[in-house]
């Protein structure tokens, strides 16, 4: 709200400056994303640049950047990244004797809480940055240890080259001055350690026996000191979780203790009386959103009434996409757990966190949302997609020969050019109200909402005959559209027919104020 007020105060209601501010914010998000990837994700700065470039030109961002309402998503994403960087900056990355690094800078920790709160006030999805920070702290900034094939834990001891290496260690860890020591690998500036480098591991799959051995090791009475080494992380977790509970209560208090109310046409699946239909549809929508990130071919400003039919049976072929997504996400999660013991492949961890956590509020998991699919809510999760995509390209490039790697690089450049072209074409759609609404009819002709919006525009332009056609088309696709019935009645010259439309609208929506007013005027 403050940003909009400043925009109006400084530049008036000229739409050019609103759009210019959105573009500037998008550029800032891209730069901060590149910095984040360079410092906390990739070891190669070039990969961070490619990630930012892919994010900058992705066509799914058009709605968030071109539409004024999308500024909330862009600004929340910027604050999301700044809060994440501040949280990591608050940790002591060069502490070599702790399992979890202590909080080196309370100022940056408090700054992270403040920035996360600002992100939440701008957009509800901003609060997910606290979950991202805690999970990243737990899995990525923890100790580094080895596990042999028989499940016995080994520590890398600090020895001079050429000195004899112990073949194995007992179940308890190496102790120094009565304290258990855990080598630590920094995550920010790469603090160098004198530890013997661990051999590369595939990181996946991890055997159930190894997982069981690790859990048994962490829970044995002789290694209770491990819990003491978690004390810095536990303190931060208690602080962050308590703070999140307080600000969530504050947010609900601002909203009067109730959630927003939506109609059936906003989110049809949430009004279905069948639990199976809701579950299958919500699950498929997850796969559909991922597909928009992978292949943004069909994009539309509104995905509501009739755009995506409900998935009502388990025999629906669309469930295959849901199963495929579940398998891929499970494999990536197992990959993170397997690589956890060596702090390898941090790219997958950060990519999953950035992809999954910001989308949770829009997934209908905890509360009903007012849309079926909204491209603007993919703005922040797309950062995770870009990280995973570039990491996959880099791994594939190392497995290919020189000719194959060159082909892959050329294909990536062509993909970036194709995304850029698609983004330019999408921006042309957002140039005017007419082009936007007409594109909706052309892209999703089975969507009743786009026909209704286009009919409203035609009605305002005095093109009544075309408006009547699209109102009737909207009613064929969604007969319960009370507003379309009311507006159609205003364009009908036959008094009896107009009265019928108003009465049908009031049967569907008894408190429809425009239909009440129009019917009263007609009777008068």
């Amino acid at each position: 709200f403050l940003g909009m007020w400043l925009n109006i105060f400084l530049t008036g209601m000229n739409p050019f400056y609103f759009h210019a501010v959105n573009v500037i914010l998008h550029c800032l998000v891209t730069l901060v994303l590149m910095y984040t990837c360079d410092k906390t994700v990739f070891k190669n700065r070039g990969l961070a640049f490619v990630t930012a470039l892919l994010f900058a030109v992705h066509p799914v961002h058009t709605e968030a950047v071109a539409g004024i309402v999308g500024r909330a998503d862009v600004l929340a994403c910027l604050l999301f990244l700044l809060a994440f960087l501040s949280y990591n900056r608050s940790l002591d990355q060069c502490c070599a004797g702790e399992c979890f690094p202590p909080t080196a800078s309370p100022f940056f920790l408090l700054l992270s809480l403040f920035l996360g709160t600002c992100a939440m006030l701008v957009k509800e999805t901003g609060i997910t940055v606290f979950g991202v920070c805690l999970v990243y702290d737990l899995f990525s900034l923890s100790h580094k240890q080895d596990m042999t094939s028989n499940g016995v834990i080994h520590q890398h001891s600090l020895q001079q080259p050429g000195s004899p290496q112990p073949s194995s260690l007992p179940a308890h860890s190496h102790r120094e001055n009565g304290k258990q020591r855990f080598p630590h690998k920094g995550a920010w500036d790469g603090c160098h350690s004198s530890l013997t480098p661990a051999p590369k591991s595939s990181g996946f799959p991890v055997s159930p026996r190894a997982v069981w051995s690790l859990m048994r090791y962490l829970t044995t009475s002789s290694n209770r000191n491990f819990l003491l080494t978690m004390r810095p992380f536990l303190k931060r977790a208690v602080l962050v979780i308590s703070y999140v509970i307080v600000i969530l209560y504050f947010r609900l208090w601002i909203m009067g203790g109730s959630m927003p109310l939506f109609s059936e046409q906003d989110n049809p699946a949430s009004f279905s009386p069948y639990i199976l239909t809701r579950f299958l549809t919500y699950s498929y929508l997850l796969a559909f959103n991922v597909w928009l990130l992978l292949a943004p071919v069909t994009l539309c400003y509104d995905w509501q009434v009739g755009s995506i039919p409900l998935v009502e049976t388990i025999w629906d072929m669309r469930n295959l996409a849901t199963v495929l997504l579940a398998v891929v996400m499970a494999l990536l999660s197992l990959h993170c757990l397997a690589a956890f013991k060596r702090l390898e492949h941090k790219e997958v961890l950060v990519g999953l966190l950035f992809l999954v956590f910001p989308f949770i509020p829009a997934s209908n998991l905890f509360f009903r949302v007012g849309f079926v699919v909204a491209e603007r809510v993919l703005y922040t999760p797309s950062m995770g997609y870009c990280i995973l995509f570039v990491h996959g390209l880099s791994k594939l490039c190392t497995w290919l020969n020189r000719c194959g790697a060159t082909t892959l690089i050329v294909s990536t450049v062509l993909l970036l050019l194709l995304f850029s072209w698609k983004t330019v074409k999408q921006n042309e759609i957002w140039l005017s109200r007419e082009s936007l609404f007409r594109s909706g009819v052309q892209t999703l002709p089975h969507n009743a909402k786009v026909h209704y919006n286009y009919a409203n525009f035609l009605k305002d332009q005095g093109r009544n005959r075309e408006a009547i056609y699209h109102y009737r088309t909207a009613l064929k696709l969604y007969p319960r559209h009370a507003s379309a019935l009311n507006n159609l009645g205003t364009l009908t010259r036959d008094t009896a027919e107009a009265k019928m439309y108003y009465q049908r609208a009031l049967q569907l929506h008894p408190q429809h104020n425009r239909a009440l007013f129009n019917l009263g005027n007609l009777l008068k």
Side-chain angles (χ1 to χ4, degrees), residues 162-454:
S163 60
Q165 298 289 335
S167 59
S168 64
L169 291 176
H172 55 80
S173 303
H174 174 69
R175 297 177 181 273
E176 180 181 342
N177 297 330
K179 294 183 178 180
Q180 193 169 359
R181 312 299 288 177
F182 290 88
H184 174 69
K185 179 180 178 181
W188 255 72
D189 299 322
C191 302
H192 298 286
S193 172
S194 58
L195 298 177
T196 305
K200 291 282 184 179
S201 71
S202 62
F204 181 83
V206 60
S207 65
R209 183 179 179 183
V211 174
W212 173 252
S213 299
L214 176 61
M215 296 302 297
R216 185 174 56 184
Y217 168 78
L218 296 180
T219 55
T220 53
S221 58
S222 59
N223 293 283
R224 295 288 176 83
N225 286 337
F226 177 78
L227 296 178
L228 296 178
T229 61
M230 290 185 65
R231 184 180 298 174
F233 168 76
L234 292 177
K235 288 181 178 179
R236 290 191 293 269
V238 170
L239 172 64
V240 172
I241 293 174
S242 302
Y243 183 76
V244 168
I245 293 174
V246 171
I247 62 175
L248 280 178
Y249 176 81
F250 175 70
R251 176 82 184 194
L252 288 175
W253 177 77
I254 291 178
M255 298 170 62
S258 62
M259 302 300 294
L261 299 177
F262 302 107
S263 63
E264 183 181 357
Q265 64 182 11
D266 295 324
N267 190 350
S270 63
F271 286 87
S272 174
Y274 305 107
I275 297 178
L276 180 63
T277 299
R278 294 200 298 269
F279 174 76
L280 294 178
T281 304
Y282 290 157
S283 301
Y284 171 71
L285 289 178
L286 297 177
F288 187 85
N289 279 280
V290 173
W291 178 250
L292 286 181
L293 292 174
L294 288 171
V297 179
T298 303
L299 298 176
C300 185
Y301 72 94
D302 196 304
W303 290 86
Q304 291 188 359
V305 188
S307 300
I308 302 177
L310 300 182
V311 183
E312 298 178 331
T313 66
I314 59 175
W315 309 114
D316 195 311
M317 295 301 295
R318 291 176 292 175
N319 290 321
L320 295 177
T322 303
V323 173
L324 178 61
L325 175 64
V327 171
V328 171
M329 297 301 291
L331 291 176
L332 289 175
S333 300
L334 290 175
H335 179 84
C336 289
L337 292 175
F340 165 60
K341 63 181 184 293
R342 296 178 185 274
L343 288 182
E344 294 178 347
H345 307 308
K346 193 184 302 181
E347 302 88 348
V348 178
L349 174 65
V350 179
L352 280 178
L353 292 179
F354 279 23
L355 176 65
V356 174
F357 273 71
F359 190 76
I360 290 177
S363 64
N364 291 280
L365 182 62
F366 296 109
F367 48 83
R368 177 186 294 165
V369 298
F371 52 84
V372 179
V373 173
E375 294 166 13
R376 63 180 181 276
V377 304
L378 294 175
Y379 188 85
T380 302
S382 65
M383 296 190 299
Y385 156 75
C386 293
I387 292 173
L388 292 173
F389 184 83
V390 173
H391 174 63
L393 287 180
S394 67
K395 299 299 290 185
L396 185 60
C397 193
T398 58
W399 295 337
L400 298 174
N401 55 25
R402 186 172 181 178
C403 181
T406 303
T407 303
L408 184 63
I409 293 174
V410 173
S411 301
T412 304
V413 173
L414 291 177
L415 178 65
L416 292 173
L417 292 175
L418 186 62
F419 273 20
S420 301
W421 173 82
K422 180 66 174 178
T423 301
V424 171
K425 300 300 290 184
Q426 283 297 117
N427 274 277
E428 292 178 357
I429 290 174
W430 284 80
L431 282 175
S432 67
R433 187 174 172 223
E434 180 179 8
S435 62
L436 181 65
F437 291 159
R438 186 174 61 247
S439 72
V441 173
Q442 295 170 350
T443 305
L444 298 176
H446 51 285
N447 183 340
K449 184 72 174 292
V450 297
H451 283 280
Y452 170 75
N453 289 337
Y454 191 44

Side-chain angles (χ1 to χ4, degrees), residues 137-152:
D137 190 355
L138 176 63
F139 282 90
S140 183
L141 298 176
S142 59
H143 61 279
K144 182 179 180 181
Q145 59 187 11
D146 260 341
M147 188 187 305
T148 60
S149 58
N150 60 1
V152 179

